[in-house]
Amino acid sequence: MDNTTFFTDDFTKRDIVCFAQQGWNFTSHRPQHLLKRFARGFRVFYVESPTFHANSDRYDITLTDDQVIVVAPHLQDDDTRPDVTTRWRELLIRLFNEEKIVSYIFWYYSPQALRVSTHFTPDLVIYDCMDRPAEHDQHFAELTDCEHELFNFADAVFTSGKKVYEAARKLHENTFLFPNSIDRDHFATARTFKFDPPDQAAFERPRFGYIGEIDHRIDFELLAAVARKRPRWQFILIGAVINIHSSKLPNFRNFHYLGTKRYEDLPHYISGWDVAMIPFAHNEYTRFINPTKTGEYLAAGKPVISAPITDVIRPYGISGLVSIAGTVNEFIKVAEELLAQQEDERQRWLDKVDTYLTGQSWNKTWGEMMGLIGTMLSKKTLQHQFGEEDALHEGKHDLVDA
């Protein structure tokens, strides 16, 4: 598909203003993959959540290598001040004035950003829904209220996985499934690397690796139990520790926390593993999750053991591409089977993986989104034009009747 055909003159006169959940440099997930592609034809403003205790209310702007304009708001004092929303809204107004943002699309990842943006008049509103509020979250009530308002405000809802799609389509009639995809060529380079990064090179084998946030989604009890039963197995976790105290993390000799790594370097680390993991717990935080890492691990050529996550079972588990394990004994059994695979058996599995991944890419997802957005904008333009004509005709009738 030639995606440049979507960039008509009217189309590219609009900007995209994205209200983000996380900082641009925090990780490289769905928002980064999509928005850097949109930045090929639009000005894209990636508005992060505000930070506090600044000397003055201000925003900083940086331009990424992919031409995404990252906006970082900074507010004085802390988030308990009663005028926080007002001051953040004023910063947005200043941004729109100074950057001459006149015709624009709103793109939401953060429902809470609705508090500071409903007074604007976007040409189109997209809610790219990757998850739903978790009942155990301390801000559950606020998040639920904001999301409900966002469903009412949005023209369309995009969803990242089957599970969240099934929930969202009950709340918005224009809900579309755009599953998380992969940067296949990038991760496929892991199949040819012949050396380990220095901070991983000394670990023995077999190695079980994980990349992603290290937080309440991970089943630490399961991993700790497996580590005790198989003390020679090495567990490598790459990512930032988020919202969990380090004392809660397994502290065994065969556990290795390597911190965050550059997206460019991830294939180097995955290359040195024997098995990749998605060791998520079964809780409210993982109910709607669709891990982008599933396809990335597979593109890297590594066998995968995953917890029974709905959007991993469908389609990867039922297709025989990913092994599903929800208990300690299941994990050990599946892991030992994978480690014992012969080369010809592994190659047959890898051929199956490559067949399945053929044609999947973020470029394809982006192109399909572009087509739908163009259609929606055209419809709204026509509705607006016909609406004005109808109003004009009604006015003429009123004059005749008078």
Side-chain angles (χ1 to χ4, degrees):
M1 178 184 296
D2 181 10
N3 297 316
T4 59
T5 58
F6 294 123
F7 293 132
T8 64
D9 291 340
D10 287 339
F11 209 138
T12 53
K13 287 178 182 177
R14 294 178 175 86
D15 298 319
I16 293 179
V17 181
C18 172
F19 296 98
Q21 283 275 33
Q22 297 174 329
W24 179 262
N25 294 320
F26 176 75
T27 186
S28 186
H29 282 333
R30 180 183 178 94
Q32 286 81 0
H33 286 299
L34 291 173
L35 292 171
K36 70 182 184 182
R37 286 168 170 81
F38 279 111
R40 297 170 185 172
F42 299 86
R43 282 199 309 173
V44 174
F45 293 86
Y46 185 87
V47 183
E48 300 178 342
S49 297
T51 59
F52 296 90
H53 304 289
N55 293 328
S56 61
D57 290 349
R58 71 178 198 282
Y59 61 82
D60 296 332
I61 284 184
T62 56
L63 183 67
T64 72
D65 292 340
D66 298 300
Q67 303 303 303
V68 174
I69 303 165
V70 178
V71 181
H74 305 281
L75 296 176
Q76 290 178 301
D77 302 320
D78 57 34
D79 60 356
T80 62
R81 275 183 53 167
D83 61 348
V84 164
T85 299
T86 301
R87 288 158 50 224
W88 185 11
R89 186 183 295 120
E90 289 172 351
L91 280 183
L92 279 178
I93 293 172
R94 188 193 311 172
L95 171 72
F96 275 59
N97 290 334
E98 293 179 350
E99 296 299 321
K100 296 179 173 57
I101 304 173
V102 178
S103 182
Y104 49 91
I105 297 168
F106 271 177
W107 189 287
Y108 287 89
Y109 287 107
S110 171
Q112 290 170 298
L114 202 64
R115 295 177 302 173
V116 297
S117 55
T118 51
H119 61 293
F120 290 92
T121 55
D123 296 332
L124 193 71
V125 178
I126 303 293
Y127 175 27
D128 193 12
C129 182
M130 300 193 299
D131 205 349
R132 300 295 310 286
E135 291 182 9
H136 296 125
D137 193 299
Q138 61 177 333
H139 302 296
F140 174 73
E142 177 187 358
L143 287 170
T144 301
D145 289 343
C146 288
E147 189 187 59
H148 179 73
E149 292 179 25
L150 183 51
F151 275 116
N152 291 330
F153 186 52
D155 293 294
V157 176
F158 296 169
T159 60
S160 61
K162 186 74 171 178
K163 185 77 172 178
V164 72
Y165 167 75
E166 291 170 348
R169 68 178 178 178
K170 299 175 183 177
L171 302 171
H172 200 293
E173 61 180 357
N174 291 329
T175 297
F176 303 90
L177 176 60
F178 290 103
N180 286 329
S181 193
I182 53 171
D183 188 349
R184 184 181 176 186
D185 292 342
H186 175 66
F187 284 94
T189 58
R191 303 186 187 190
T192 58
F193 289 140
K194 302 299 182 184
F195 64 92
D196 265 334
D199 57 346
Q200 182 174 272
F203 302 151
E204 296 180 357
R205 291 183 181 272
R207 298 172 180 172
F208 295 80
Y210 166 84
I211 290 176
E213 291 83 23
I214 300 171
D215 56 17
H216 40 246
R217 296 174 302 172
I218 295 181
D219 192 340
F220 293 110
E221 291 185 6
L222 181 145
L223 289 181
V226 173
R228 283 192 291 267
K229 290 191 173 187
R230 296 294 185 272
R232 295 187 61 184
W233 291 2
Q234 307 300 310
F235 295 87
I236 301 169
L237 288 83
I238 293 175
V241 178
I242 305 295
N243 296 326
I244 185 170
H245 196 274
S246 58
S247 63
K248 301 293 184 181
L249 304 178
N251 186 24
F252 303 134
R253 293 181 63 183
N254 58 340
F255 264 78
H256 313 283
Y257 302 96
L258 302 188
T260 57
K261 303 298 176 185
R262 295 191 314 153
Y263 180 75
E264 294 77 9
D265 294 332
L266 296 181
H268 290 269
Y269 286 89
I270 299 174
S271 178
W273 301 348
D274 296 287
V275 178
M277 305 183 297
I278 306 176
F280 287 157
H282 184 69
N283 59 33
E284 285 295 313
Y285 298 105
T286 61
R287 183 181 176 191
F288 295 102
I289 199 167
N290 182 292
T292 56
K293 58 181 64 64
T294 312
E296 293 168 350
Y297 290 157
L298 293 174
K302 295 301 174 182
V304 182
I305 301 176
S306 174
I309 301 299
T310 299
D311 280 356
V312 177
I313 295 173
R314 302 179 306 178
Y316 299 103
I318 61 177
S319 300
L321 304 179
V322 169
S323 300
I324 307 298
T327 68
V328 173
N329 289 336
E330 288 174 352
F331 188 104
I332 292 174
K333 179 177 181 295
V334 167
E336 290 178 338
E337 290 173 352
L338 292 174
L339 294 172
Q341 277 185 340
Q342 299 299 311
E343 186 175 344
D344 59 341
E345 186 179 2
R346 178 64 61 85
Q347 187 59 52
R348 285 195 298 272
W349 167 81
L350 197 55
D351 291 342
K352 192 175 180 181
V353 165
D354 289 341
T355 298
Y356 180 83
L357 296 181
T358 298
Q360 293 192 32
S361 72
W362 286 112
N363 278 338
K364 180 175 181 291
T365 303
W366 163 70
E368 291 172 351
M369 286 182 172
M370 285 287 292
L372 182 57
I373 289 170
T375 299
M376 289 190 292
L377 285 170
S378 296
K379 280 186 176 180
K380 291 195 76 170
T381 300
L382 288 173
Q383 288 171 354
H384 180 69
Q385 290 174 347
F386 281 120
E388 287 184 343
E389 290 177 4
D390 290 343
L392 182 60
H393 288 312
E394 288 176 6
K396 288 180 178 178
H397 288 310
D398 289 342
L399 288 173
V400 173
D401 292 341

